[in-house]
Every structure is written in C-alpha cells, then in structure tokens.
Coordinates of all heavy atoms in Angstrom, one line a residue:
I42 N 0.4 75.2 96.8 CA -0.3 74.3 95.9 C 0.3 73.0 95.9 O -0.3 71.9 95.9 CB -0.3 75.0 94.5 CG1 -1.0 76.4 94.5 CG2 -1.1 74.1 93.5 CD1 -0.8 77.1 93.3
F43 N 1.6 73.0 95.8 CA 2.4 71.7 95.8 C 2.1 70.8 97.1 O 1.9 69.6 97.0 CB 3.9 72.0 95.8 CG 4.8 70.7 95.9 CD1 5.1 70.0 94.8 CD2 5.2 70.3 97.1 CE1 5.9 68.9 94.8 CE2 6.0 69.2 97.2 CZ 6.4 68.5 96.1
G44 N 2.0 71.5 98.2 CA 1.7 70.8 99.5 C 0.2 70.6 99.8 O -0.2 70.1 100.9
N45 N -0.7 70.9 98.8 CA -2.1 70.6 98.9 C -2.7 71.3 100.2 O -3.5 70.8 100.9 CB -2.4 69.1 99.0 CG -3.8 68.8 98.6 OD1 -4.5 69.6 98.0 ND2 -4.2 67.6 98.8
W46 N -2.2 72.5 100.4 CA -2.8 73.4 101.5 C -2.6 72.8 102.9 O -3.5 72.9 103.7 CB -4.2 73.8 101.2 CG -4.3 74.7 100.0 CD1 -4.4 76.1 100.0 CD2 -4.4 74.4 98.6 NE1 -4.5 76.6 98.8 CE2 -4.5 75.6 97.9 CE3 -4.4 73.1 97.9 CZ2 -4.6 75.6 96.5 CZ3 -4.5 73.2 96.6 CH2 -4.6 74.4 95.8
R47 N -1.5 72.1 103.1 CA -1.2 71.5 104.4 C 0.2 71.8 104.8 O 1.1 71.8 103.9 CB -1.4 70.0 104.4 CG -2.9 69.6 104.2 CD -3.1 68.1 104.2 NE -4.6 67.8 104.2 CZ -5.3 67.7 105.2 NH1 -4.8 67.8 106.4 NH2 -6.6 67.4 105.1
P48 N 0.5 72.0 106.1 CA 1.8 72.4 106.5 C 2.9 71.4 106.2 O 4.0 71.8 105.7 CB 1.7 72.6 108.0 CG 0.2 72.9 108.3 CD -0.5 72.1 107.2
V49 N 2.6 70.1 106.4 CA 3.6 69.1 106.1 C 4.0 69.1 104.6 O 5.1 69.0 104.2 CB 3.1 67.7 106.5 CG1 4.1 66.6 106.1 CG2 2.9 67.7 108.1
G50 N 2.9 69.2 103.7 CA 3.2 69.2 102.3 C 4.0 70.4 101.9 O 4.9 70.3 101.0
I51 N 3.7 71.6 102.5 CA 4.5 72.8 102.2 C 6.0 72.6 102.6 O 6.9 73.0 102.0 CB 3.9 74.0 102.9 CG1 2.5 74.3 102.3 CG2 4.8 75.2 102.8 CD1 1.8 75.3 103.1
A52 N 6.2 71.9 103.8 CA 7.5 71.7 104.3 C 8.3 70.7 103.4 O 9.5 70.9 103.1 CB 7.5 71.1 105.7
I53 N 7.6 69.7 102.8 CA 8.3 68.8 101.9 C 8.7 69.5 100.6 O 9.8 69.4 100.1 CB 7.3 67.6 101.6 CG1 7.2 66.7 102.8 CG2 7.9 66.8 100.5 CD1 6.1 65.7 102.7
G54 N 7.7 70.3 100.0 CA 8.1 71.0 98.8 C 9.2 72.0 99.0 O 10.1 72.2 98.2
S55 N 9.2 72.7 100.2 CA 10.2 73.7 100.5 C 11.6 73.0 100.7 O 12.6 73.5 100.3 CB 9.9 74.5 101.7 OG 8.6 75.2 101.6
S56 N 11.6 71.8 101.2 CA 12.8 71.0 101.4 C 13.4 70.6 100.1 O 14.6 70.7 99.9 CB 12.5 69.8 102.3 OG 12.0 70.1 103.5
L57 N 12.6 70.2 99.1 CA 13.0 69.9 97.8 C 13.7 71.1 97.1 O 14.8 71.0 96.5 CB 11.9 69.3 96.9 CG 11.4 68.0 97.3 CD1 10.2 67.6 96.5 CD2 12.4 66.9 97.2
Y58 N 13.0 72.2 97.2 CA 13.5 73.5 96.7 C 14.8 73.8 97.3 O 15.9 74.1 96.7 CB 12.5 74.6 96.8 CG 13.1 76.0 96.5 CD1 13.1 76.5 95.2 CD2 13.7 76.7 97.5 CE1 13.6 77.7 94.9 CE2 14.2 78.0 97.2 CZ 14.2 78.5 95.9 OH 14.7 79.7 95.7
G59 N 14.9 73.7 98.7 CA 16.1 74.1 99.5 C 17.2 73.2 99.1 O 18.4 73.6 99.1
F60 N 16.9 71.9 98.9 CA 18.0 70.9 98.6 C 18.7 71.3 97.3 O 19.9 71.3 97.2 CB 17.5 69.5 98.6 CG 18.5 68.5 98.3 CD1 19.5 68.1 99.2 CD2 18.5 67.8 97.1 CE1 20.5 67.2 99.0 CE2 19.5 66.9 96.8 CZ 20.5 66.6 97.7
V61 N 17.9 71.5 96.3 CA 18.5 71.9 95.0 C 19.3 73.2 95.1 O 20.4 73.3 94.6 CB 17.4 71.9 93.9 CG1 18.0 72.4 92.6 CG2 16.7 70.6 93.8
E62 N 18.7 74.2 95.8 CA 19.4 75.5 95.9 C 20.6 75.3 96.8 O 21.7 75.9 96.5 CB 18.4 76.4 96.6 CG 18.9 77.9 96.7 CD 19.0 78.6 95.4 OE1 18.6 78.1 94.3 OE2 19.5 79.8 95.4
G63 N 20.5 74.5 97.8 CA 21.7 74.3 98.7 C 22.8 73.6 98.0 O 24.0 74.0 98.2
V64 N 22.5 72.6 97.1 CA 23.6 71.9 96.4 C 24.2 72.9 95.4 O 25.5 72.9 95.3 CB 23.0 70.7 95.6 CG1 24.0 70.3 94.5 CG2 22.6 69.6 96.5
R65 N 23.5 73.8 94.8 CA 24.0 74.8 93.9 C 25.0 75.7 94.7 O 26.0 76.1 94.1 CB 22.9 75.6 93.3 CG 23.4 76.7 92.4 CD 22.2 77.6 91.9 NE 21.7 78.5 92.9 CZ 22.2 79.6 93.2 NH1 23.4 80.0 92.7 NH2 21.7 80.4 94.2
L66 N 24.6 76.1 95.9 CA 25.4 77.1 96.6 C 26.7 76.5 97.2 O 27.7 77.2 97.3 CB 24.6 77.7 97.8 CG 23.4 78.6 97.3 CD1 22.6 79.0 98.5 CD2 23.9 79.8 96.6
C67 N 26.7 75.3 97.7 CA 27.8 74.8 98.5 C 28.6 73.6 97.9 O 29.6 73.2 98.6 CB 27.3 74.5 99.9 SG 26.3 73.0 100.0
C68 N 28.1 73.0 96.9 CA 28.7 71.8 96.4 C 29.5 71.9 95.2 O 29.4 72.9 94.5 CB 27.6 70.7 96.2 SG 26.8 70.2 97.8
S69 N 30.3 70.9 94.9 CA 31.2 70.9 93.7 C 30.5 70.6 92.4 O 29.3 70.3 92.4 CB 32.3 69.8 93.9 OG 31.7 68.6 94.0
G70 N 31.2 70.8 91.3 CA 30.6 70.6 90.0 C 30.1 69.2 89.8 O 29.1 68.9 89.1
E71 N 30.9 68.2 90.3 CA 30.5 66.8 90.2 C 29.2 66.5 90.9 O 28.4 65.7 90.4 CB 31.6 65.9 90.7 CG 31.4 64.4 90.4 CD 31.5 64.1 88.9 OE1 32.3 64.8 88.2 OE2 30.8 63.2 88.5
T72 N 28.9 67.2 92.0 CA 27.7 67.0 92.7 C 26.5 67.5 91.9 O 25.5 66.9 91.9 CB 27.8 67.7 94.1 OG1 28.9 67.2 94.8 CG2 26.5 67.4 94.9
I73 N 26.7 68.6 91.2 CA 25.6 69.2 90.4 C 25.4 68.3 89.2 O 24.2 68.1 88.8 CB 26.0 70.6 89.9 CG1 26.2 71.5 91.2 CG2 25.0 71.2 89.0 CD1 26.7 72.9 90.9
V74 N 26.4 67.6 88.7 CA 26.2 66.6 87.6 C 25.3 65.5 88.1 O 24.4 65.0 87.5 CB 27.6 66.1 87.1 CG1 27.4 65.0 86.2 CG2 28.3 67.3 86.4
A75 N 25.6 65.0 89.4 CA 24.8 64.0 89.9 C 23.4 64.4 90.1 O 22.4 63.6 90.0 CB 25.4 63.6 91.3
L76 N 23.2 65.7 90.4 CA 21.8 66.3 90.5 C 21.1 66.1 89.2 O 19.9 65.9 89.2 CB 21.9 67.7 91.0 CG 20.6 68.3 91.5 CD1 20.0 67.6 92.7 CD2 20.8 69.8 91.8
V77 N 21.7 66.3 88.1 CA 21.1 66.2 86.8 C 20.6 64.8 86.6 O 19.4 64.5 86.1 CB 22.1 66.6 85.7 CG1 21.4 66.3 84.3 CG2 22.4 68.0 85.7
L78 N 21.4 63.8 87.0 CA 21.0 62.4 86.9 C 19.8 62.1 87.8 O 18.8 61.4 87.4 CB 22.1 61.5 87.2 CG 21.8 60.0 87.2 CD1 21.3 59.5 85.8 CD2 23.1 59.2 87.5
L79 N 19.8 62.7 89.0 CA 18.7 62.5 89.9 C 17.4 63.1 89.4 O 16.3 62.4 89.5 CB 19.1 63.1 91.3 CG 20.0 62.3 92.2 CD1 20.3 63.1 93.5 CD2 19.3 60.9 92.6
V80 N 17.5 64.2 88.8 CA 16.3 64.8 88.2 C 15.7 63.9 87.1 O 14.5 63.7 87.0 CB 16.6 66.2 87.6 CG1 15.5 66.8 86.8 CG2 17.0 67.2 88.8
S81 N 16.6 63.4 86.3 CA 16.1 62.5 85.2 C 15.4 61.2 85.8 O 14.4 60.8 85.3 CB 17.3 62.0 84.3 OG 16.9 61.1 83.3
L82 N 16.0 60.6 86.8 CA 15.4 59.5 87.4 C 14.1 59.8 88.1 O 13.1 59.0 88.1 CB 16.4 58.9 88.5 CG 17.7 58.3 87.9 CD1 18.6 57.8 89.0 CD2 17.4 57.1 86.9
A83 N 14.0 60.9 88.8 CA 12.8 61.4 89.4 C 11.7 61.5 88.4 O 10.5 61.1 88.7 CB 13.0 62.6 90.2
L84 N 12.0 62.1 87.3 CA 11.0 62.3 86.3 C 10.6 61.0 85.6 O 9.4 60.8 85.3 CB 11.5 63.3 85.2 CG 11.7 64.8 85.6 CD1 12.4 65.5 84.6 CD2 10.3 65.4 85.9
A85 N 11.5 60.1 85.5 CA 11.2 58.7 85.0 C 10.2 58.0 85.9 O 9.2 57.4 85.5 CB 12.4 57.9 84.8
A86 N 10.5 58.1 87.2 CA 9.5 57.5 88.2 C 8.2 58.2 88.2 O 7.1 57.5 88.3 CB 10.1 57.6 89.6
L87 N 8.2 59.5 88.0 CA 6.9 60.2 87.8 C 6.1 59.8 86.6 O 4.9 59.7 86.6 CB 7.2 61.7 87.8 CG 5.9 62.7 87.9 CD1 5.1 62.5 89.1 CD2 6.4 64.1 87.8

C-alpha cells in the first residue's frame, strides 16, 4: 500500500523500515536519539 502497488515504491518503503530496524540493532544510544529528532523533522515536513 505504501508503495502504491509498484516494485520501486515497495523497495523505498522497505528501505525506510529496514533503516530504522537496522539502527536499532547495530547502533549506539546516541544514534537512536538522533533518530527521534529525524522522525520529528520528517513529520514536520509531512
């Protein structure tokens, strides 16, 4: 649904999911704090 029934859109949505999940798995606490700020900025742009 996120990718509007197209392969490229599905790949973009999966990359966003994978990036957040990847940061959670392998990065430090300061990086996760930065992720919170990025989420806030992304929602502001939206």
Side-chain angles (χ1 to χ4, degrees):
I42 304 171
F43 176 89
N45 205 10
W46 290 267
R47 291 181 176 272
V49 174
I51 295 171
I53 293 173
S55 302
S56 299
L57 292 174
Y58 170 88
F60 179 72
V61 178
E62 184 73 2
V64 167
R65 178 184 73 81
L66 291 173
C67 71
C68 294
S69 62
E71 190 65 33
T72 305
I73 299 175
V74 171
L76 191 62
V77 174
L78 179 58
L79 280 176
V80 171
S81 177
L82 294 175
L84 290 172
L87 186 59

